[in-house]
Amino acid sequence: MGYDTQPKASHFVDGQYIEDTSGAVMEVVYPATGAVIARLHEATPAIIEKAITSGRRAQAEWAGMMGVERGRILRRAADIMRERNYDLSVLETHDTGKPMSETLYVDATSGADALEYFGGLAGSLTGEHVPLGGDWGYTVREPLGLCVGLGAWNYPTQIACWKGAPALACGNAMIFKPSETTPLCALKVAEILHEAGLPAGLYNVIQGAGDVGRALVGDERVDKVSLTGSVPTGKRVYASAAEGMKHVTMELGGKSPLVVFEDADLDNAVGGAILGNFYSTGQVCSNGTRVFVHKSIKEAFLKRLAERLGSAKIGDPLDETVNFGPMVSSSQRDIVLDYIAKGKAEGARLVCGGSVIAGDGFYIQPTVFADVTDDMVIAREEIFGPVMAVLDFEDEADVIARANNTEYGLSAGVFTRDISRAHRVIGQLQAGSCFINSYNDAPVELPFGGSKLSGVGRENSKTAIEHYSQLKSVYVRMGDVEAPF
Ligand SMILES: NC(=O)c1ccc[n+]([C@@H]2O[C@H](COP(=O)([O-])OP(=O)(O)OC[C@H]3O[C@@H](n4cnc5c(N)ncnc54)[C@H](O)[C@@H]3O)[C@@H](O)[C@H]2O)c1
C-alpha cells in the first residue's frame, strides 16, 4: 500500500501514545479496497480514567495562562497542520475513502482554519464592566472545565479541530473520541497540538464505540459534551448529559431543502445541487437532499444534471483526478442501497445511477430520483449517501411550507436571480445554516449548526465561544451594606 496507516498506539493521553491491549480490537478498513489498514484497541476503563484525570489536572493550569499564550500554541498547531497537509490528506483519505481531490483542500485545511481563528480569539475573551449607580459589576468569561467531543465518521480531522480549537482557546481541556469507523486522523491532531506546545493532558484522544462515549458522557467530572452524529444518538447523549446538567452542543442530521426557482442560473443551480448531494459521496450532514425544482425548468435541470454527473470521475481516491469515492463502510453502503430500493419501489423516477459498483470497495453510483413526492421515504429520512431526490413545485408559499415540513432544520438553500425573493424565502426557511446561490460552504467565520431535531448550539465563529465558556458576574458595592435588621 505504501502508506503507514498504523498509529504508534490506539490512544493519545497525557501527551503521549498509550496502549491497553485488553481493549476490544478495532479494525480500520480502507473503504476503497476493503483492506484492513490498521488495528487498534477500544479504550478500557483504565484508559478512560487516565484521560479524565490527566484532563482535569492539566485544565486548571491551562485556564490560568494568558489567552494570548494559549492562542499562540493553537496558531502554531495550525501552521504545522498546513505544512503537513499532504500527509494528513492521505491519512484522511484512508480513514474515510474521500478522494484526495477533496481532502487536499478541505479537511486539514478546515481544521487549521479553526485552530488559527480560535487561536486569534483566545486573547480577547474578556468580560465587561457594568456601571450600577454608585456601585458596579463586572463579568468574567470562564472555561467550563473538561469537555468531551464525540465525532462522526465523515470529517474526522475537521470535527476534531472544530471542537478542540474553541474548547482549548477558552481554557478547557478536551477528551475527543472519534467515530469507531474513522479513528486515525484525530490522533494526528493530538500529536500536532502537543508538538506545537500544548501541555500534556489537554487534548486526549481515546478510541471506542458507543460504550466508551457513554462512559465519558456519564462521568460527573465531565462538564460539557459536544456531539457530531445522528439524531437518535443525539437524543441519548443529550438525555445522559442532562442528568449532570452538563452543557451540550449537538450537531446532528438533516434532510435539508434546496429550492431552485425558475429564474435561477441553471448551471449554478445544478452545481449547487451536485455540491449538496454528491460531495464526499453524499456523506454530509447539511446536504440539500430534497431538491425542489420549479416545474417549468425541471426537465432542463434534470438533463443538465445527468450530463454533468456523466463526467464524474469515480475510482481510486488516491488518484487526484478522481472526484467521487466510495462510501465509508460496507454497512453504510447497504443502508443507502436499501433506500435506493425503497425509492424505486415507491415509484420515484430513476434519472441516473441506482446501483452498486462491482469491486472490493464500497462504491455506489451517484443517484438521482425525480418525480419524488413529499410522502416518500426517500424524501423524509436522512439517507447519508449519494442519493438526490428532485421534487416539483409551482408556488413560492407552497414550496416554503413543504420545505419546512420536516422534523430536521440543519440547512436550506435557494437559487434565484431575484434578490428580494432570495432573502424573503431564506427568512422563512427553518434551518440554522443557509445558502443563497450556493451550497454547503462552511467557513470558520460563520456559525454552523441546526434548529429543530438537527441540534442545539453552534460551532465556529465567535458564537462558539459562548458554548465553551460561562460568565461569572460580580457585584461590587462601594458603600455600606444596608441590612433590614
Ligand atoms: N450537524 C453536523 O455537523 C454533522 C456533521 C457530520 C455528521 N452528522 C451526522 O452524523 C451522522 C453520521 O455519523 P455517525 O453514523 O458516526 O453518527 P452516530 O450517531 O452513529 O455516532 C456519532 C458518535 O457518537 C458515538 N456514540 C454512539 N452512541 C453513543 C452513546 N450512547 N453515547 C455516547 N456516544 C455515542 C459514536 O461512537 C460516534 O463517535 C449523520 O446523521 C449525520 O447527519 C452531523
Side-chain angles (χ1 to χ4, degrees), residues 83-230:
E83 280 159 23
R84 299 202 190 139
N85 183 50
Y86 186 82
D87 289 348
L88 293 169
S89 304
V90 169
L91 191 68
E92 175 96 16
T93 288
H94 281 88
D95 225 3
T96 62
K98 290 185 296 181
M100 289 286 286
S101 59
E102 292 187 14
T103 57
L104 275 173
Y105 304 100
V106 168
D107 296 279
T109 311
S110 161
D113 284 353
L115 291 163
E116 184 176 359
Y117 180 85
F118 289 107
L121 281 184
S124 63
L125 307 179
T126 57
E128 55 180 1
H129 169 267
V130 184
L132 298 166
D135 296 341
W136 55 283
Y138 64 95
T139 59
V140 185
R141 188 164 287 285
E142 296 186 332
L144 300 174
L146 179 58
C147 304
V148 161
L150 302 167
W153 39 255
N154 55 348
Y155 284 84
T157 305
Q158 184 189 76
I159 294 170
C161 293
W162 280 18
K163 298 189 188 307
L168 293 170
C170 291
N172 302 287
M174 170 154 278
I175 302 175
F176 187 78
K177 189 201 78 63
S179 162
E180 58 276 27
T181 310
T182 54
L184 302 178
C185 296
L187 291 168
K188 287 289 170 198
V189 174
E191 235 183 81
I192 287 170
L193 279 165
H194 290 82
E195 207 177 315
L198 188 74
L202 288 168
Y203 190 87
N204 295 327
V205 173
I206 66 171
Q207 309 293 351
D211 285 350
V212 174
R214 231 184 330 268
L216 290 170
V217 177
D219 195 290
E220 61 183 17
R221 294 165 290 178
V222 167
D223 302 291
K224 186 211 160 109
V225 181
S226 176
L227 167 76
T228 297
S230 62

Side-chain angles (χ1 to χ4, degrees), residues 150-155 159 162 177-181 208-214 217 227-234 236-237 250-254 283-286 332 382 384 410 448-449 454 459:
L150 302 167
W153 39 255
N154 55 348
Y155 284 84
I159 294 170
W162 280 18
K177 189 201 78 63
S179 162
E180 58 276 27
T181 310
D211 285 350
V212 174
R214 231 184 330 268
V217 177
L227 167 76
T228 297
S230 62
V231 170
T233 303
R236 280 192 285 273
V237 171
M250 294 281 149
E251 292 293 351
L252 309 177
Q283 302 163 115
V284 181
C285 51
S286 48
Q332 188 62 23
E382 183 184 46
F384 222 59
L410 186 49
F448 180 82
S454 293
E459 297 199 297

Side-chain angles (χ1 to χ4, degrees), residues 258 268-278 288 291 301 305 388 415 439:
L258 171 55
N268 280 337
V270 168
I274 288 173
L275 286 176
N277 281 271
F278 301 117
V291 183
F301 178 92
L305 180 64
M388 183 194 297
F415 275 85
Y439 208 86

